[in-house]
């Protein structure tokens, strides 16, 4: 197994992409900390899925937009696992509004969850990695929204572009501690493939369906597609990858018009 004996914390892992990452890392031998802002049936399912892989699963409730909450999360994880080897920044909450309608509160909420939270989660994890020695891996989830516009996603895209620039800076500064820092930028991912998210929200065709004609692979991505990319960066397979953003989008960014 690629991650035998490693200790990994995955934020926002009660469902969707985060869940897929947590379960795949566990299947490769890592003990996994599951984080989200609330513990519900979906969170319990993720914990059970990690345990089903024969690995230790721990719960770490935290609001990543609050630094004190982040620091407490990292401290609790280390208390329960003894160290941290892999930090995956996945948790996010978004505001979907047009540019002219975004308020200061909207901006603060989005930046807090999609950029500030990643920064200070990475910082707390990196400090622990430096303290314990032996290096580590930090992987953050970006988005194709950092590279291409989509309606009502402006602030989200700004944050995700910031995540990619942050990845470059952290990779440069932490390389001397043998800590690799990379990012994965998903395209349109159908988290509904993992019940109960299958049902469309807002009572209309989901935006992910509208994206399919723009994707050369002619399908939406699945959470497992992103988890595999994270595994590459988190494992010995990605030993020499540092400061990179891997776009996993089925070719969405290759063209400007729907595929005929």
């Amino acid at each position: 197994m690629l991650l035998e004996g490693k200790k990994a914390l995955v934020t926002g892992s009660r469902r969707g992409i985060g869940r897929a990452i947590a379960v795949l890392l566990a299947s490769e031998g890592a003990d996994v900390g599951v984080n989200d802002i609330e513990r519900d049936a979906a969170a319990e399912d993720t914990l059970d899925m990690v345990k089903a892989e024969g690995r230790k699963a721990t719960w770490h409730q935290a609001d990543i937009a609050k630094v004190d909450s982040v620091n407490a999360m990292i401290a609790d994880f280390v208390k329960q696992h003894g160290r941290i080897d892999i930090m995956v920044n996945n948790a996010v909450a978004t505001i979907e509004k047009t540019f002219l309608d975004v308020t200061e509160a909207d901006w603060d909420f989005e930046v807090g969850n999609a950029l500030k939270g990643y920064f200070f989660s990475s910082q707390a994890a990196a400090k622990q990695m430096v303290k314990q020695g032996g290096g580590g891996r930090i992987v953050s989830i970006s988005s194709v929204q950092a590279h291409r516009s989509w309606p009502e996603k402006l602030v989200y895209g700004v944050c995700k572009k910031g995540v990619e620039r942050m990845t470059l800076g952290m990779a440069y500064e932490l390389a001397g501690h043998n800590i690799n820092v990379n990012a994965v930028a998903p395209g349109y991912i159908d988290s509904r493939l993992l019940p109960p998210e299958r049902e469309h929200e807002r009572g209309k065709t989901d935006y992910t369906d509208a994206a399919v004609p723009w994707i050369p692979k002619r399908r939406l991505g699945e959470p497992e597609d992103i988890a595999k990319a994270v595994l590459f960066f988190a494992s010995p397979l990605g030993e020499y990858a540092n400061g990179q953003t891997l776009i996993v989008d089925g070719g969405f960014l290759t063209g400007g018009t729907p595929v005929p």
Side-chain angles (χ1 to χ4, degrees), residues 5 13 23 37 58 65 73-74 81 85 99 101 103 107 109 136 166 186 213-214 221 230 240 255 260:
S13 49
V23 173
I37 198 167
T58 56
M73 173 182 67
I74 298 297
H81 291 269
D85 302 299
F99 167 66
D101 292 327
T103 66
W107 173 271
F109 177 82
M166 182 177 72
W214 301 77
V230 172
Y240 201 56

Side-chain angles (χ1 to χ4, degrees), residues 159-173:
C159 292
K160 290 305 186 180
K161 196 66 176 180
V163 167
E164 295 184 7
R165 174 59 181 85
M166 182 177 72
T167 295
L168 288 173
M170 290 193 301
Y172 182 83
E173 294 195 26

Side-chain angles (χ1 to χ4, degrees), residues 117-130:
Y118 284 37
F119 184 97
F120 286 104
S121 293
S122 298
Q123 184 188 70
K127 286 181 177 179
Q128 175 60 32
M129 291 173 183
V130 171

Side-chain angles (χ1 to χ4, degrees), residues 94-99 102 110 143 145-146 148-160 188 207:
T94 64
I95 293 292
E96 295 187 1
K97 287 187 176 181
T98 63
F99 167 66
V102 172
E110 185 83 63
S143 171
Q145 298 299 332
R148 182 171 177 174
S149 297
W150 197 264
E152 301 181 345
K153 290 287 187 177
L154 175 56
V155 182
Y156 179 77
V158 168
C159 292
K160 290 305 186 180
Y188 287 91
Y207 75 92

